[in-house]
């Protein structure tokens, strides 16, 4: 989607307000979500960005006749203020100043507040409903943003491809049989699924509708008899996909999804769906049919989270390839920044990002990036989800700092890692102290053993403790789930401060990524992916997947324990053993120095 300039934004907001008046609305709730409640959306669904100019992956705006209140989380505070300056906007924190409470304070009695029922998850709708008891929440028939977006991109039509069982580890028919047993065990007649990655996992297909996420946009309805209706655009399918689908699957038009819920489901029938990730339009359709909604955490979400043996083998294999690419990149970056230091053509953020992509493209099985890379020099790294802009040659100085957060989609799995770099002897005041604390935080969680029943919020503080000891913290989660050639941010498992009642279990993949950020100065993050493995004594622990050198120049030796030194030395030794034979000679020579043991 083309960026909306500051000069254009005023007329866009004015046109939207005019459309709200036409529809009889006093305010409109505009989340970033599409109909699938996805993190990454197609250009067609970038409504929040079109109206506000904010391009982050999480946010919500409330458009009234007086202001546009923009709510973002801690990752995007700086970015939102830069992209959406001026008196048109009111900036709020998504969690510290809840949007429904803000709207309840500012909306007058009798207001009609519009929302698109396909774009608002049930759980978020419920929050607004409870907060706005004296105002009218109104589901619009036609999204007002679409009405004022003259050149809105078309809906995506990426081709769908089969995902072979040799990589999936289980046939789709077996997964459907397991799902059918869950539906029956819950005494339900139907299950509604609206998460594209869950559907792709169930049917063993992959797609190309949205950048970075290899899944097709679609909906699904499964019944207790083992039959499945897949609501997906037929133009995305070819004969190989149709032949690949089990006999139990019927392909239906996407536009028939909600009408099918109303028509096929009878009054009194129990229907399973996940309120956290289903649009409230699903619940409304079920209520219209007289069905009994059973709101549960998605059974497919839970089943997908624990990888089978073949999926885990694929994840380990693609991380070896990704580790080679990362190590080649680290060597290239160190040499190029030093070599080009005296010249007028230093390495730039975009050049480094493209170099990393090139090293990945040289590895077998690589398909695409798993998210938009964060290639950030100096103060840009303080924006957790910064993106280098086309045409901006931001240099990586030979006496400064740099951060790269980057991942890949491979034929056999998904990767995600972050490394922080420093060049030259001069670094910002406090950088080494913070970098050492971030490493200690990373080590504290990476080496943790924990009992069954442990949940992510139980162990988050263990990671943050080394930073808290210094009065430091970070305003993002400590770890997120990762899919198997699916979404790089996968539910339900995560590690963070918020309550998340999901037991960590063997076979789950999680990141560990503590950080520290000082606005306009620097940002630090160290991130690896880990699989959870069961120990012989019944406890569990994290087994490393990511192989990439951790720069040691910025570690303050006096602050490291012997255990931390031993772990880092062992990690680097294993890295050389795993990758050494596949590295170019010059990179291997660099890696041996970069991975030299700490004494």
């Amino acid at each position: 989607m083309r960026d909306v300039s500051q000069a254009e934004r005023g007329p866009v907001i004015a046109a939207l307000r005019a459309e709200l008046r036409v529809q009889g609305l006093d305010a409109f709730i505009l989340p970033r979500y599409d109909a699938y409640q996805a993190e990454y959306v197609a250009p067609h669904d970038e409504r929040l960005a079109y109206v506000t100019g904010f391009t982050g992956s999480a946010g919500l705006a409330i458009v009234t006749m007086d202001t546009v209140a923009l709510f973002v989380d801690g990752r995007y505070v700086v970015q939102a203020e830069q992209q959406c300056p001026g008196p048109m906007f009111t900036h709020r924190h998504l969690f510290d100043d809840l949007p429904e409470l803000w709207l309840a304070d500012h909306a007058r009695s009798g207001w009609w507040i519009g929302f698109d029922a396909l774009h608002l998850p049930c759980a978020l709708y419920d929050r607004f409903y409870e907060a706005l008891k004296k105002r009218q929440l109104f589901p619009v028939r036609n999204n007002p943003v679409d009405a004022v977006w003259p050149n809105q991109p078309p809906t995506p039509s990426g081709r769908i491809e089969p995902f072979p069982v040799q990589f999936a580890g289980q046939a789709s028919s077996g997964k459907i049989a397991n799902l059918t047993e869950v539906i029956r065990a819950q005494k339900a007649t139907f299950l509604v699924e609206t998460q594209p990655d869950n559907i792709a996992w169930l049917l063993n297909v992959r797609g190309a509708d949205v950048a970075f996420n290899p899944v097709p946009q679609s909906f699904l309805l499964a019944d207790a008899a083992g039959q499945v209706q897949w609501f997906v655009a037929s133009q995305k399918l070819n004969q190989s996909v149709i032949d690949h689908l089990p006999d139990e699957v019927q392909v239906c038009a996407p536009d028939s999804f909600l009408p099918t819920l109303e028509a096929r489901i009878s009054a009194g029938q129990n229907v399973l769906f996940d309120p956290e990730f289903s649009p409230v339009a699903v619940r409304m359709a079920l209520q219209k049919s007289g069905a009994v909604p059973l709101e549960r955490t998605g059974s497919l979400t839970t089943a997908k989270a624990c990888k089978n043996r073949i999926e885990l083998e694929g994840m380990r294999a693609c991380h070896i390839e990704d580790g080679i690419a990362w190590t080649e990149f680290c060597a290239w970056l160190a040499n190029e920044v030093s070599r080009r230091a005296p010249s007028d053509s230093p390495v730039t953020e975009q050049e480094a990002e493209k170099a990393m992509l090139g090293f990945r493209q040289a590895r077998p099985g690589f398909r695409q990036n798993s998210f938009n890379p964060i290639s950030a020099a100096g103060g840009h790294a303080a924006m957790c989800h910064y993106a280098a802009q086309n045409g901006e040659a931001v240099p990586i100085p030979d006496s400064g700092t740099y951060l790269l957060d980057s991942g890949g989609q491979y034929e056999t799995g998904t990767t995600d890692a972050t490394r922080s770099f420093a060049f030259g002897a001069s670094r910002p005041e406090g950088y080494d102290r913070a970098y050492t604390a971030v490493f200690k935080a990373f080590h504290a969680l990476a080496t943790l053993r924990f009992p069954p029943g442990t949940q992510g919020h139980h162990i988050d503080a263990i990671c943050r403790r080394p930073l808290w000891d210094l009065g430091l913290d970070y305003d993002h989660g400590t770890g997120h789930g990762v899919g198997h050639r699916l979404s790089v941010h996968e539910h339900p498992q995560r590690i963070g401060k918020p309550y998340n009642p999901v037991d960590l279990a063997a076979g789950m993949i999680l990141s560990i990524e503590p950080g520290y950020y000082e606005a306009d100065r620097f940002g630090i993050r160290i991130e690896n992916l880990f699989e959870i493995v069961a120990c012989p004594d019944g406890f569990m622990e994290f087994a490393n997947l990511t192989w990439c050198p951790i720069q040691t120049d910025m570690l303050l030796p006096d602050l490291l324990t012997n255990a931390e030194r031993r772990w880092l030395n062992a990690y680097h030794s294993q890295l050389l053993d795993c990758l050494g034979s596949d590295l170019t000679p010059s990179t291997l020579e660099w890696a041996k120095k970069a991975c030299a043991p700490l004494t």
Side-chain angles (χ1 to χ4, degrees):
M1 186 191 77
R2 183 177 64 84
D3 287 341
V4 180
S5 70
Q6 284 291 321
E8 292 173 298
R9 197 158 298 134
V12 169
I13 294 172
L16 177 58
R17 286 176 173 146
E19 179 63 24
L20 296 184
R21 293 187 184 97
V22 169
Q23 296 194 23
L25 300 173
D26 299 286
F28 185 70
I29 301 168
L30 176 58
R32 189 177 181 275
Y33 294 123
D34 58 11
Y36 313 95
Q37 283 65 61
E39 177 183 12
Y40 292 105
V41 301
H44 171 82
D45 294 307
E46 288 278 13
R47 295 176 181 86
L48 182 63
Y50 177 72
V51 172
T52 68
F54 172 68
T55 60
S57 65
L60 179 145
I62 298 174
V63 182
T64 72
M65 297 303 166
D66 301 318
T67 190
V68 177
L70 181 61
F71 297 81
V72 300
D73 64 34
R75 298 171 298 170
Y76 293 115
V77 170
V78 176
Q79 179 179 333
E81 291 174 350
Q82 290 183 350
Q83 290 184 324
C84 310
M88 289 184 292
F89 297 97
T90 300
H91 291 277
R92 292 291 182 267
H93 194 287
L94 189 58
F95 303 119
D96 295 343
D97 190 1
L98 297 176
E100 66 272 20
L101 298 183
W102 182 92
L103 185 54
D105 287 341
H106 290 78
R108 289 187 283 275
S109 179
W111 269 25
W112 285 75
I113 300 165
F115 67 96
D116 190 323
L118 271 172
H119 299 162
L120 208 61
C122 293
L124 184 55
Y125 169 84
D126 291 342
R127 287 164 46 189
F128 277 101
Y129 182 83
E130 287 299 317
L132 299 168
K133 291 179 179 178
K134 294 183 180 180
R135 293 86 171 175
Q136 180 67 48
L137 275 175
F138 181 74
V140 298
R141 290 181 177 273
N142 300 301
N143 192 299
V145 177
D146 296 351
V148 299
W149 193 351
N151 298 309
Q152 185 177 16
T155 55
S157 57
R159 302 296 293 180
I160 297 173
E161 62 183 45
F163 191 60
V165 71
Q166 71 185 83
F167 299 141
Q170 184 182 15
S172 176
S173 57
K175 295 178 181 179
I176 292 173
N178 292 341
L179 179 63
T180 303
E181 290 302 315
V182 171
I183 296 172
R184 293 172 180 170
Q186 297 282 336
K187 300 187 185 307
T189 307
F190 293 97
L191 176 143
V192 178
E193 182 57 71
T194 62
Q195 288 284 283
D197 61 334
N198 285 347
I199 298 169
W201 177 84
L202 177 71
L203 300 181
N204 284 348
V205 295
R206 297 297 186 264
D209 282 337
V210 179
F212 314 121
N213 284 1
V215 298
Q217 291 185 337
S218 63
F219 303 110
L220 183 139
L221 179 65
D223 65 30
Q227 299 302 302
V228 171
Q229 287 179 282
W230 186 24
F231 300 87
V232 63
S234 59
Q235 65 265 29
K236 301 177 186 179
L237 306 172
N238 58 27
Q239 194 60 45
S240 67
V241 178
I242 294 172
D243 293 342
H244 167 80
L245 294 173
D247 294 339
E248 304 94 317
V249 178
Q250 175 192 4
V251 176
C252 305
D255 291 346
S256 68
F257 172 58
L258 292 177
T260 297
L261 297 186
E262 296 177 12
R264 186 180 172 200
I265 300 173
S266 302
Q269 290 183 320
N270 294 335
V271 183
L272 290 162
F273 73 98
D274 189 336
E276 291 290 334
F277 298 106
S278 297
V280 72
V282 167
R283 182 199 283 162
M284 291 176 171
L286 296 178
Q287 290 171 337
K288 188 174 182 179
S289 73
V292 179
L294 300 181
E295 301 189 2
R296 308 278 192 276
T297 298
S299 56
L300 290 177
T301 300
T302 303
K304 177 173 79 334
C306 293
K307 278 58 178 174
N308 62 45
R309 179 179 61 84
I310 298 300
E311 290 173 322
L312 290 171
E313 289 176 356
M315 291 292 280
R316 296 172 196 136
C318 74
H319 274 85
I320 295 295
E321 299 301 333
D322 206 56
I324 295 167
W326 261 108
T327 307
E328 294 285 353
F329 168 80
C330 291
W332 172 86
L333 182 68
N335 292 330
E336 285 299 295
V337 168
S338 174
R339 183 180 68 84
R340 291 158 58 175
S343 72
D344 294 329
S345 58
V347 178
T348 66
E349 291 175 338
Q350 279 213 317
E351 184 184 358
E353 179 181 317
K354 291 176 181 177
M356 183 71 224
L357 177 60
F359 288 119
R360 280 204 175 98
Q361 288 172 331
R363 304 314 309 164
F366 177 75
R367 303 293 292 267
Q368 62 178 332
N369 283 334
S370 58
F371 57 95
N372 194 25
I374 302 167
S375 178
H380 285 168
M383 293 182 280
C384 298
H385 279 223
Y386 168 81
Q389 299 299 309
N390 287 327
E392 293 186 8
V394 179
I396 300 173
D398 63 316
S399 59
T401 61
Y402 171 70
L403 179 150
L404 180 65
D405 186 343
S406 180
Q409 295 284 5
Y410 288 80
E411 202 167 39
T412 65
T414 305
T415 71
D416 177 11
T418 307
R419 288 296 182 266
S420 300
F421 305 86
F423 307 101
S426 175
R427 290 185 282 277
E429 183 179 355
Y431 185 93
D432 288 9
R433 177 173 173 263
Y435 183 87
T436 304
V438 169
F439 170 74
K440 290 171 74 70
F442 174 84
H443 169 269
L445 197 53
T447 58
L448 181 70
R449 298 177 76 251
F450 51 94
T454 299
Q455 299 173 347
H457 56 278
H458 295 158
I459 60 177
D460 178 72
I462 293 172
C463 188
R464 295 178 191 265
R465 169 70 187 271
L467 288 151
W468 287 355
D469 285 345
L470 302 178
L472 310 177
D473 201 0
Y474 49 94
D475 193 6
H476 59 71
T478 294
H480 59 82
V482 178
H484 175 248
R485 202 181 154 210
L486 291 168
S487 173
V488 74
H489 292 152
E490 181 177 85
H491 300 281
Q493 70 274 25
R494 65 176 182 267
I495 303 171
K497 293 178 182 178
Y499 173 68
N500 186 43
V502 176
D503 290 355
L504 301 181
M508 288 180 172
I509 306 295
L510 280 155
S511 70
I512 295 177
E513 49 180 304
Y516 178 68
Y517 313 89
E518 288 195 11
D520 301 321
R521 296 188 69 227
F522 60 80
I524 300 166
R525 188 161 62 252
I526 299 173
E527 175 189 16
N528 280 21
L529 297 191
F530 295 82
E531 65 174 279
I532 298 178
V533 298
C535 303
D537 62 0
F539 269 57
M540 290 179 283
E541 63 185 7
F542 294 106
N544 177 69
L545 289 171
T546 302
W547 299 108
C548 174
I550 297 172
Q551 191 173 348
T552 59
D553 302 21
M554 305 88 80
L555 292 173
L556 298 175
D558 292 346
L559 299 183
L560 296 178
T561 66
N562 288 333
E564 289 162 347
R565 290 191 188 91
R566 285 195 300 269
W567 184 92
L568 185 56
N569 290 343
Y571 175 78
H572 280 152
S573 176
Q574 288 178 274
L575 183 152
L576 293 173
D577 289 342
C578 289
L579 312 182
S581 62
D582 293 303
L583 298 174
T584 60
S586 59
T587 295
L588 179 57
E589 181 180 354
W590 173 89
K592 287 180 178 178
K593 297 176 182 177
C595 297
L598 294 176
T599 58

